Amino acid sequence: MFYDPRSEDPKALGFTHNPWNALIAPRPIAWISTRSGAGVANLAPYSFFNAVSGAPPFVMFSSAGRKDTQRNIEETGEFVVNMATEDLVAALNDSCFPFGPDVDEFQRAGLTAVAARHLHHAPRLEETPVSIECRLSQIVELKTAAGAPVRSAAIFGEVVGIHVDERIIRNGRVDLALARPLSRLGYMDYAGLGPIFEVLRPESEPQERVAPYG
Ligand SMILES: Cc1cc2nc3c(=O)[nH]c(=O)nc-3n(C[C@H](O)[C@H](O)[C@H](O)COP(=O)(O)O)c2cc1C
């Protein structure tokens, strides 16, 4: 199976839906809180999201069109990435409804906005175990290889504050089995964490393996 997404419709090849969102998965979900210049709090999920640098920490998410979140970030230069967790999936789903910019999605989803530590505008979500305070670093409007504009933008944030709930810290480590982060698959599918296992990096040059890897 091969197709060129620029010119071919995967549905014409037998897929029921465009499979793209199922191909780079699972994706972590940034549940992003912002505030508009007019002072309205906003909360929405974004799964085209990841950490893009460890030290110093930076995050990136992409917005398909200029949505309220992007507009608020442009207005205030701030956002908070809140961890989406399995127990909050119903509220997360409520918050993705395309409410107008005058609607506070915290209220609509029955959630609590609390003040961030280093940010002046964007609130953080109280119910989540991890919140990451970010200042806008840059917005990159995506272009094709030929330089034609497309409707998506990549938004980069410098991390300026990290909240971790004591309840998910065990023996000095963040215990993700306790946090139960939610991830996005393709279609309408979500996933929790599977089994967690540890792999130590090689201390010497790895021995040649005989495929298949085992
Ligand atoms: C789990 C999930 C992940 C999403 N990821 C994205 C994304 O990465 N980019 C995007 O533009 N919209 C994404 N959406 C859709 C937005 O959440 C939706 O358009 C929302 O209304 C935007 O809210 P806002 O206008 O308040 O920013 C996602 C929705 C869900 C449920």
Side-chain angles (χ1 to χ4, degrees):
M1 166 63 73
F2 172 83
Y3 71 98
D4 179 340
R6 297 169 302 174
S7 55
E8 291 178 280
D9 178 358
K11 289 190 199 156
L13 303 169
F15 286 115
T16 55
H17 298 77
N18 183 336
W20 173 244
N21 289 4
L23 298 178
I24 300 181
R27 288 183 303 285
I29 301 171
W31 205 0
I32 300 180
S33 47
T34 55
R35 195 179 295 280
S36 69
V40 181
N42 193 87
L43 182 68
Y46 286 79
S47 70
F48 286 96
F49 159 72
N50 223 310
V52 287
S53 165
F58 275 74
V59 296
M60 186 279 305
F61 74 96
S62 119
S63 184
R66 220 162 143 262
K67 301 182 178 181
D68 292 345
T69 297
Q70 180 177 348
R71 211 169 296 119
N72 292 351
I73 293 170
E74 288 170 1
E75 286 174 10
T76 65
E78 298 179 353
F79 62 101
V80 178
V81 169
N82 303 283
M83 179 187 274
T85 55
E86 280 186 60
D87 55 322
L88 294 170
V89 64
L92 175 116
N93 198 35
D94 286 348
S95 74
C96 86
F97 187 81
F99 295 108
D102 51 332
V103 173
D104 177 336
E105 282 119 358
F106 282 90
Q107 281 176 5
R108 288 300 178 98
L111 296 166
T112 320
V114 290
R117 188 81 68 95
H118 280 345
L119 306 181
H120 302 298
H121 305 276
R124 68 182 175 89
L125 173 65
E126 187 171 51
E127 285 81 357
T128 184
V130 177
S131 292
I132 300 168
E133 299 186 11
C134 303
R135 289 220 171 93
L136 173 62
S137 156
Q138 46 184 312
I139 297 182
V140 177
E141 302 286 346
L142 299 190
K143 291 187 191 126
T144 67
V150 298
R151 63 193 278 265
S152 294
I155 298 164
F156 291 83
E158 178 195 6
V159 175
V160 297
I162 300 174
H163 302 257
V164 183
D165 192 322
E166 299 284 346
R167 282 175 302 171
I168 66 160
I169 302 175
R170 204 162 53 179
N171 301 326
R173 292 168 55 144
V174 169
D175 188 332
L176 289 175
L178 293 174
R180 298 173 71 219
L182 184 70
S183 62
R184 186 78 171 105
L185 309 178
Y187 314 105
M188 303 314 287
D189 297 341
Y190 291 79
L193 279 185
I196 296 175
F197 52 91
E198 195 175 52
V199 178
L200 301 181
R201 293 196 183 183
E203 283 170 10
S204 57
E205 214 173 291
Q207 300 301 306
E208 216 170 283
R209 280 178 200 270
V210 180
Y213 285 65

